[in-house]
Amino acid sequence: MKKHNFYAGPSILPQSAIDATINALKDFEGTGISLASVSHRSKEFDAVMDEAVALFKELLNIPEGYSVIFLGGGASMQFAMVPFNLMQKKAMYINTGTWASKAITEAKMFGDVLEIKGNDFFSIPKGWEVPEDMDYLHITTNNTIYGTEFHTDLDVNVPLVADMSSDIFSRKVDVSKYALIYGGAQKNLAPAGVTFVIVKDDILGKVDHKIPTMLNYLTHTDKNSMYNTPPVIPVFTALHTLRWIKEKGGVDGMYKMNREKADALYAEIDRNKLFKGTVATEDRSIMNVCFVMNDEYKDKEADFASFAASKFFIGIKGHRSVGGFRASLYNALPLESVNALVEAMKEFENLNS
Amino acid sequence: MKKHNFYAGPSILPQSAIDATINALKDFEGTGISLASVSHRSKEFDAVMDEAVALFKELLNIPEGYSVIFLGGGASMQFAMVPFNLMQKKAMYINTGTWASKAITEAKMFGDVLEIKGNDFFSIPKGWEVPEDMDYLHITTNNTIYGTEFHTDLDVNVPLVADMSSDIFSRKVDVSKYALIYGGAQKNLAPAGVTFVIVKDDILGKVDHKIPTMLNYLTHTDKNSMYNTPPVIPVFTALHTLRWIKEKGGVDGMYKMNREKADALYAEIDRNKLFKGTVATEDRSIMNVCFVMNDEYKDKEADFASFAASKFFIGIKGHRSVGGFRASLYNALPLESVNALVEAMKEFENLNS
């Protein structure tokens, strides 16, 4: 029976991108060589990198003056690379949960951090202002663990840096409002092992301290992500995911589908007397939907987990730091999987009434 | 017609490892989910990581007290991570070419570097001693670009650090003589995107300066390479390459085949009146065989390149910084490919006599 892949990441990818990767592992672009064994300096791989960068720019409507690069190391490495490259003295961070907290820990090694934090992580802090002397403001646009999300592009008076690991390509973004956007690609884009960075060229090269070569964004923007060997297979899969996004109507097409999926699931969570959402309504993520049992049904949590497993729902256990349930609705997750989950929640309610 | 893949890296891998990766991209371990879309926290991927580490230790006979970790970012990132973690004041580096030079550049950001360098890079510098106050000695055991190689494990009186990107698993190594061994895996082990580190646990945690979390080896040794999302596909392929190495007789089996391949090609280079080797005989690499046209046949270089291409030899152009030719004979390259190249060199000699 079909599995419904609700993993929070690595997570479901378009089947066409996986199929293209399988074919390329057999024979990459008619070279007679596997994608696993081809030089990154071959003209065939050069073409892959160039098209991936071009499609990235086209789909996000990235203005002139920005570079797109693909790196190894994961978004966690960016938590250090961002202050290494951009922090001269101090920066402001909005702490919206686990990932933002980790970014803050790294930033504190490089200078002073003004941290904005709410009473808990079930809503996005509001009502703050950015002092003008901040080198930048850092936000995590979507919080996979707590299920909150910034739904608009902020207007701020300092360079805006965003970790978009888990919502890139899920909606339209006004890139011109950001100085730097980064993310691990293993949610909406590629298998684990590649990180994307969109960076406004003119913010680089301005800090006084030395930066190790591989941690300097300029190293990679200067060489079109080919200073060292890039993660060839994940970049290839990313290209084919980008082609799929384009075929499906670009980021507007993605958003329409994502909105429909999220609305259907949140509606059921709000309707079903067994469950409740954990996040302030206006901050609910369209990528990671977190919910728990209502207080009077707390003892049914393990039962629902088993029931869901029997229906082949994979990866809906909430993160160990939050508990309950989490359904990740990334771009490639079909509406049918959400509908199946909604049906299962209704069925479970009937069984327990 | 069959291609002969002599790429310097990314390069030829065992077909069984590629086939296993293709199968796992279709369905990973019977989970009904693609390897591209499976959580690294799933028990099935945990088992992959555990077996890869265990086989790594078994095949290299790694003593107790060492950890094996898999990271993203490439060996170039290790050029900075090594001094970040191990350099308190000064270290000694043997400069054997491009990669060693890059490692030295990074090390100089962290302290003083005593650099040992020969007149050129066509032999390994000899006759040096290591001052006792060095934090460590760094060597690059095999030099892909110039085709030189350290053929023995050095005995030194300070911690020995080695970049073995391009000869790991090609021969037996006495790991007990090293404090740290690292390498990009995209030659003898895996597709591009994963880096291995073998580290003696008791050398870590001793420097005074702060280390960003992702650049601290302890972060990764403490979490069995799962602090952040590891490069799932390359780690999976690496596991299957390790299984193949074991089936083929382990590192002794690899060395026997590699010696045979290298001997056959060097013998032809020395015999054939059109060609000559570029490296001091005792320092010739068994992984990367560099050769040029003899002086009186210099004008035949482009002809031989075309001739080789017509015979489906891929990747035998020398690195742009050296010129001439380079045949990379990594573990997975079959003897038949070397024999075919030798035959082609003979045929070309006959055509030009």
Side-chain angles (χ1 to χ4, degrees), chain B residues 181-198:
Chain B
I181 298 170
Y182 68 86
Q186 68 270 18
K187 283 97 159 58
N188 273 338
L189 203 56
V194 63
T195 303
F196 66 86
V197 180
I198 306 166

Side-chain angles (χ1 to χ4, degrees), chain A residues 293-318:
Chain A
M293 308 305 294
N294 255 320
D295 292 344
E296 58 270 43
Y297 297 98
K298 273 280 175 231
D299 59 326
K300 299 288 179 195
E301 186 170 310
D303 282 0
F304 182 69
S306 305
F307 181 77
S310 75
K311 304 255 178 197
F312 300 104
F313 297 112
I314 308 289
I316 67 160
K317 192 162 180 264

Side-chain angles (χ1 to χ4, degrees), chain B residues 5-224:
Chain B
N5 184 348
F6 289 98
Y7 274 136
S11 49
I12 191 165
L13 291 169
Q15 192 58 45
S16 62
I18 294 172
D19 289 343
T21 307
I22 289 169
N23 287 334
L25 283 170
K26 294 175 183 167
D27 181 358
F28 173 56
E29 307 287 347
T31 57
I33 291 177
S34 170
L35 178 64
S37 295
V38 79
S39 171
H40 62 298
R41 305 275 179 209
S42 64
K43 68 178 191 302
E44 293 84 2
F45 187 73
D46 255 343
V48 167
M49 183 62 85
D50 287 345
E51 187 185 344
V53 170
L55 264 179
F56 218 101
K57 290 184 173 178
E58 177 189 333
L59 289 167
L60 290 175
N61 196 22
I62 298 175
E64 286 293 304
Y66 285 77
S67 295
V68 171
I69 49 177
F70 295 104
L71 307 174
S76 296
M77 187 68 88
Q78 298 306 309
F79 298 161
M81 276 181 79
V82 164
F84 238 134
N85 283 268
L86 303 183
M87 197 191 281
Q88 187 63 29
K89 281 194 179 141
K90 50 187 164 182
M92 179 166 156
Y93 278 68
I94 311 291
N95 190 345
T96 48
T98 309
W99 302 112
S101 300
K102 289 187 177 207
I104 290 167
T105 299
E106 301 310 299
K108 284 179 176 170
M109 290 190 204
F110 296 86
D112 295 331
V113 172
L114 173 60
E115 179 180 344
I116 304 294
K117 195 175 167 183
N119 294 325
D120 58 43
F121 292 132
F122 300 113
S123 64
I124 301 278
K126 295 168 191 80
W128 41 264
E129 288 193 356
V130 192
E132 279 183 13
D133 61 345
M134 292 293 146
D135 292 326
Y136 60 87
L137 167 67
H138 180 283
I139 61 171
T140 311
T141 51
N142 183 70
N143 307 287
T144 41
I145 291 176
Y146 291 92
T148 62
E149 187 174 11
F150 286 87
H151 290 295
T152 53
D153 302 308
L154 301 179
D155 282 300
V156 291
N157 50 354
V158 302
L160 179 59
V161 175
D163 175 357
M164 292 197 187
S165 293
S166 54
D167 63 353
I168 191 75
F169 290 109
S170 70
R171 63 170 173 91
K172 189 180 280 186
V173 171
D174 183 351
V175 175
S176 73
K177 291 186 174 174
Y178 298 83
L180 192 148
I181 298 170
Y182 68 86
Q186 68 270 18
K187 283 97 159 58
N188 273 338
L189 203 56
V194 63
T195 303
F196 66 86
V197 180
I198 306 166
V199 59
K200 196 160 188 276
D201 298 319
D202 66 12
I203 64 158
L204 298 178
K206 294 186 173 169
V207 294
D208 290 333
H209 53 260
K210 281 188 185 173
I211 309 172
T213 305
M214 279 291 287
L215 299 170
N216 191 334
Y217 290 121
L218 284 170
T219 301
H220 306 287
T221 58
D222 283 354
K223 298 282 187 184
N224 195 29

